Amino acid sequence: MVMRFAGSLNLLLSVVAIGMFVETWPVSAQAQSDPLPSWNEGEVKQAIIRFIERITSSGGKDYLPPAERIAVFDNDGTLWSEQPMYFQGFFALDRVKALAPKHPEWKEKQPFRAVLENDMKAVAASGEKGVAEIVMSTHAGVTTEEFERIVKDWLATAKHPRFGRPFTDLVYQPMLELLAYLRENGFKTYIASGGGIEFLRPWVERVYGIPPEQAVGSSIKVKYELRETGPVLVRLPEIDFIDDGAGKPVGIHKFIGRRPAFAFGNSDGDLQMMQWTAAGPGLRFMGLVHHTDAEREWAYDRESPVGRLDKALAEARSKNWPVVDMKRDWQVIYPFEKK
Amino acid sequence: MVMRFAGSLNLLLSVVAIGMFVETWPVSAQAQSDPLPSWNEGEVKQAIIRFIERITSSGGKDYLPPAERIAVFDNDGTLWSEQPMYFQGFFALDRVKALAPKHPEWKEKQPFRAVLENDMKAVAASGEKGVAEIVMSTHAGVTTEEFERIVKDWLATAKHPRFGRPFTDLVYQPMLELLAYLRENGFKTYIASGGGIEFLRPWVERVYGIPPEQAVGSSIKVKYELRETGPVLVRLPEIDFIDDGAGKPVGIHKFIGRRPAFAFGNSDGDLQMMQWTAAGPGLRFMGLVHHTDAEREWAYDRESPVGRLDKALAEARSKNWPVVDMKRDWQVIYPFEKK
């Protein structure tokens, strides 16, 4: 998480102001029976539908019992956007500003001073140590209930700098349809995110239809305290678990205890999750989102510090895992384009 | 976990051979509509049924939306027996014996030598450090898939010393009915056990109808490795999380991310789980199993090193949390008594 924040803050420096213009993409009339209406006809859509048909065909050789229908999705860059930096990064910077009145010393202390002065170059210069300080000072020291309220309040008011919309508007319409399609076919849909689990849980049910108990992510430690007003769980400034890279199969195993049959990611941080999924017996589905649409969303892969996609793309190509070409495969990116 | 094992091994020393005689308890004819036929009429049964009626009564002031119907159960002593020691302790001792041929040095090395010679007094004398060595040498060093196979194979052959039956026969029939009753009323039923999560997951679906992803427990760390034969998760000899006492609300928050509306335990290790449950808004149910039946099961509470019930019993009394008197409230203890 720390390294990711460092990378994302770096990137922020290179982001030029991007206009607020959003294209209204034509949504063609689709047969009502199409489970994935925002997906253009093509290899990826066909691979998804063929997979579902095969694993639900009772008596077929690829039939998968409902109890084993576990699907895992990365979040940043797979279910919602992650540019110009992970959205949790915006949250952390906003929290520094919100907390500043209680921390007069921050006016003179880096990296907080840099955040308060919107000097992103100096924030980035504070390095991993600085970013860790920002994360811990903005994510710890409160109870779990207080933090949930803080996340909800932030999401209700914060706006994405490019689109001028709430961050939760920037979820991918085709992926919402895919999540629903999987659930209609008996899947339990899970998130396996490198982002913070408690940053996800307050809103994933409302936005993705994924209940909080089906969100896996990175975490800091919490401690039980019996106060005079009752028991609380206090968030501590100490990493508990990093759910990224080789940590993703570990997190999936820890929280779910079953190997997924379906996994979708978009970056090298998802590669081990996909390898772990692929290695199970029977038919499996491994998919990647490739960000190829600078106009409607963003275009980036091998060189991007946020959501770098290099090794996982090579492995997907060599193993014939479906790769979404966002520009080609997605008729609509965000739900608001449909209006 | 380590302290629990130490306590349980101590207790093993004091256990005298107990006959194999099992009473066949008369199961009275019950109305088919009785959701809890193995529960005698009484305060606890009435409290459970009244709670379910109130939280499912739409429009009522205690109505609980289905998404928030989370029930958590301790396992050892709440869903199955835990005497003369935690059943995972029997597993560990059996594993030492099974692994002994690969460890000729164990013949001379404590606490392994003591286990191999069935010298439980010497095992206990090895203390926490010795017990930790037994746990780590029998639970780590294999892949997660190998460990799952080992647990399943052990459960298929191992017998409880008193009853001469598989350990999974020693689950409580009234609790199986309670789990089913909760699920029929929209609850997701979870285990929150001080025992090992990977010792639970291979069998809880078959025995309790609880899927592995709804088991929370103590854990050791695992590590992702990409071997020539494919990726594996290797179990490391290092504690990851102890899901006991003040760790239970932490584990529940970590894995589920919602506060339960219903919690059942049987020992002081469940107290914080019950406090955390009780502190939520709206109607909550907190219940305890009090082991009062030395004839059909065991009778123990304040003085027992396994499943000590002291502070939690006092708090239950003072807060009017229902307490099962096993002898009085349960018409049947184990499913096999019904035959």
Side-chain angles (χ1 to χ4, degrees):
Chain A
M1 197 151 67
V2 168
M3 288 193 58
R4 290 179 53 170
F5 278 150
S8 39
L9 289 168
N10 261 323
L11 186 74
L12 188 61
L13 304 175
S14 67
V15 173
V16 291
I18 294 166
M20 308 278 290
F21 178 72
V22 177
E23 284 186 74
T24 304
W25 209 254
V27 181
S28 70
Q30 297 276 347
Q32 280 218 337
S33 63
D34 185 349
L36 302 170
S38 298
W39 292 70
N40 290 318
E41 298 307 321
E43 276 177 30
V44 182
K45 180 172 180 172
Q46 284 315 310
I48 293 168
I49 292 173
R50 205 164 49 236
F51 171 80
I52 293 295
E53 284 172 352
R54 287 169 65 181
I55 64 106
T56 57
S57 169
S58 56
K61 77 173 177 57
D62 297 317
Y63 179 74
L64 189 68
E68 292 169 33
R69 296 183 193 168
I70 302 286
V72 292
F73 288 80
D74 168 61
N75 185 47
D76 297 313
T78 301
L79 295 179
W80 73 353
S81 292
E82 60 183 353
Q83 299 286 3
M85 66 174 169
Y86 297 117
F87 294 175
Q88 196 171 356
F90 287 108
F91 169 76
L93 298 182
D94 284 353
R95 284 303 295 159
V96 168
K97 293 172 186 171
L99 291 167
K102 286 185 189 167
H103 293 274
E105 75 280 10
W106 283 357
K107 280 184 190 151
E108 303 303 328
K109 191 184 170 196
Q110 293 297 15
F112 302 99
R113 178 178 168 175
V115 175
L116 297 176
E117 293 175 350
N118 290 311
D119 181 356
M120 289 300 112
K121 197 167 171 178
V123 172
S126 74
E128 273 184 43
K129 187 170 164 289
V131 172
E133 281 184 70
I134 291 172
V135 171
M136 290 308 176
S137 65
T138 54
H139 285 69
V142 293
T143 71
T144 53
E145 290 188 302
E146 286 162 354
F147 189 73
E148 180 180 344
R149 170 52 47 206
I150 289 165
V151 171
K152 282 183 172 168
D153 288 350
W154 180 78
L155 284 172
T157 54
K159 297 279 198 320
H160 188 277
R162 172 174 168 190
F163 292 98
R165 288 177 169 271
F167 288 93
T168 48
D169 278 12
L170 302 185
V171 298
Y172 304 134
Q173 175 63 27
M175 295 307 255
L176 297 180
E177 294 168 8
L178 176 55
L179 288 168
Y181 180 46
L182 287 165
R183 288 192 291 260
E184 281 160 21
N185 284 282
F187 273 86
K188 269 190 173 174
T189 51
Y190 281 83
I191 290 173
S193 173
I197 192 167
E198 295 200 54
F199 180 72
L200 292 167
R201 282 180 161 163
W203 56 272
V204 292
E205 183 146 45
R206 172 175 62 82
V207 174
Y208 299 136
I210 294 175
E213 61 269 27
Q214 287 167 218
V216 178
S218 297
S219 57
I220 58 176
K221 294 195 174 174
V222 307
K223 186 182 152 217
Y224 183 79
E225 269 184 30
L226 193 52
R227 296 181 176 172
E228 279 190 17
T229 49
V232 293
L233 293 170
V234 181
R235 291 169 59 78
L236 306 177
E238 191 182 344
I239 293 286
D240 180 38
F241 177 62
I242 299 291
D243 190 51
D244 200 25
K248 284 212 180 185
V250 171
I252 288 166
H253 179 75
K254 181 201 296 256
F255 282 78
I256 311 177
R258 294 195 211 249
R259 196 192 297 255
F262 187 105
F264 231 111
N266 78 302
S267 78
D268 285 356
D270 302 314
L271 177 56
Q272 290 89 344
M273 169 178 87
M274 297 171 74
Q275 290 169 337
W276 176 244
T277 302
L283 195 66
R284 308 268 148 174
F285 185 100
M286 284 64 60
L288 274 180
V289 175
H290 188 188
H291 294 262
T292 55
D293 195 329
E295 213 169 328
R296 295 185 298 168
E297 206 245 6
W298 283 270
Y300 57 97
D301 46 35
R302 289 181 174 79
E303 304 301 322
S304 176
V306 174
R308 182 192 309 276
L309 177 62
D310 182 9
K311 288 180 186 169
L313 188 59
E315 190 149 334
R317 300 289 188 215
S318 77
K319 294 185 172 164
N320 284 316
W321 295 340
V323 177
V324 171
D325 178 332
M326 222 175 198
K327 189 169 183 172
R328 182 197 64 195
D329 288 316
W330 287 359
Q331 203 171 106
V332 167
I333 305 279
Y334 301 124
F336 57 79
E337 297 171 25
K338 290 169 64 186
K339 285 166 197 164
Chain B
M1 198 149 66
V2 168
M3 288 193 59
R4 289 179 53 171
F5 279 152
S8 40
L9 290 168
N10 261 322
L11 187 72
L12 188 61
L13 304 177
S14 67
V15 173
V16 290
I18 294 166
M20 306 278 292
F21 178 72
V22 177
E23 285 186 75
T24 304
W25 209 254
V27 181
S28 69
Q30 297 276 346
Q32 279 218 338
S33 62
D34 184 350
L36 302 171
S38 299
W39 291 70
N40 289 319
E41 298 306 322
E43 278 178 27
V44 181
K45 180 172 180 171
Q46 284 315 310
I48 293 169
I49 291 173
R50 204 165 51 237
F51 171 81
I52 293 296
E53 284 172 354
R54 287 169 65 181
I55 64 107
T56 57
S57 169
S58 56
K61 76 172 177 54
D62 297 316
Y63 179 74
L64 188 68
E68 291 169 35
R69 295 183 194 168
I70 302 286
V72 291
F73 287 81
D74 168 61
N75 185 46
D76 297 313
T78 300
L79 294 180
W80 74 352
S81 292
E82 60 184 351
Q83 299 286 4
M85 65 175 170
Y86 297 118
F87 294 175
Q88 196 170 356
F90 287 108
F91 169 76
L93 299 183
D94 284 352
R95 284 303 295 159
V96 168
K97 292 172 186 170
L99 290 167
K102 287 186 188 166
H103 293 274
E105 76 279 11
W106 284 358
K107 280 183 191 153
E108 303 304 328
K109 192 184 169 196
Q110 294 296 16
F112 302 100
R113 177 178 168 176
V115 175
L116 298 176
E117 293 175 351
N118 290 310
D119 181 355
M120 290 299 112
K121 197 167 171 177
V123 172
S126 73
E128 272 185 45
K129 187 170 164 289
V131 173
E133 280 184 70
I134 291 172
V135 171
M136 290 309 176
S137 65
T138 54
H139 285 69
V142 292
T143 71
T144 54
E145 290 188 303
E146 286 162 352
F147 189 73
E148 180 179 345
R149 170 52 46 204
I150 288 165
V151 171
K152 282 183 173 168
D153 288 349
W154 180 78
L155 284 172
T157 54
K159 297 278 198 316
H160 188 278
R162 171 174 168 189
F163 291 98
R165 289 177 167 273
F167 289 93
T168 48
D169 277 13
L170 303 185
V171 298
Y172 304 134
Q173 174 64 26
M175 295 309 255
L176 297 180
E177 293 167 8
L178 176 55
L179 288 168
Y181 180 45
L182 288 165
R183 288 191 292 258
E184 279 159 23
N185 284 283
F187 273 86
K188 268 191 175 174
T189 50
Y190 281 83
I191 290 172
S193 174
I197 192 167
E198 295 200 54
F199 180 73
L200 292 167
R201 282 179 162 163
W203 56 272
V204 292
E205 182 146 46
R206 171 175 63 83
V207 174
Y208 299 137
I210 294 175
E213 61 268 27
Q214 287 167 219
V216 179
S218 297
S219 57
I220 58 176
K221 294 196 174 175
V222 307
K223 186 182 152 216
Y224 183 78
E225 268 184 30
L226 194 52
R227 296 182 176 172
E228 280 191 16
T229 49
V232 292
L233 293 170
V234 181
R235 291 168 59 77
L236 306 178
E238 192 182 343
I239 293 286
D240 180 39
F241 177 63
I242 299 290
D243 189 52
D244 199 25
K248 284 213 180 185
V250 171
I252 288 167
H253 179 75
K254 181 202 295 258
F255 282 79
I256 311 178
R258 295 196 209 248
R259 196 192 298 255
F262 188 104
F264 230 111
N266 79 301
S267 77
D268 285 357
D270 302 314
L271 177 56
Q272 289 89 344
M273 169 177 88
M274 297 171 75
Q275 290 170 338
W276 177 244
T277 301
L283 195 64
R284 308 268 147 173
F285 185 99
M286 285 64 59
L288 274 181
V289 175
H290 188 189
H291 294 261
T292 54
D293 195 329
E295 213 170 327
R296 294 185 298 167
E297 207 245 5
W298 283 270
Y300 57 96
D301 46 35
R302 289 182 174 80
E303 305 300 323
S304 176
V306 174
R308 182 192 308 276
L309 176 62
D310 181 7
K311 288 180 185 167
L313 189 60
E315 190 148 335
R317 300 288 187 214
S318 77
K319 293 184 172 165
N320 283 316
W321 296 340
V323 177
V324 171
D325 178 331
M326 224 175 197
K327 189 170 183 173
R328 182 196 65 194
D329 288 317
W330 288 359
Q331 203 171 105
V332 167
I333 305 280
Y334 300 124
F336 57 80
E337 296 171 26
K338 290 168 66 186
K339 286 166 197 165

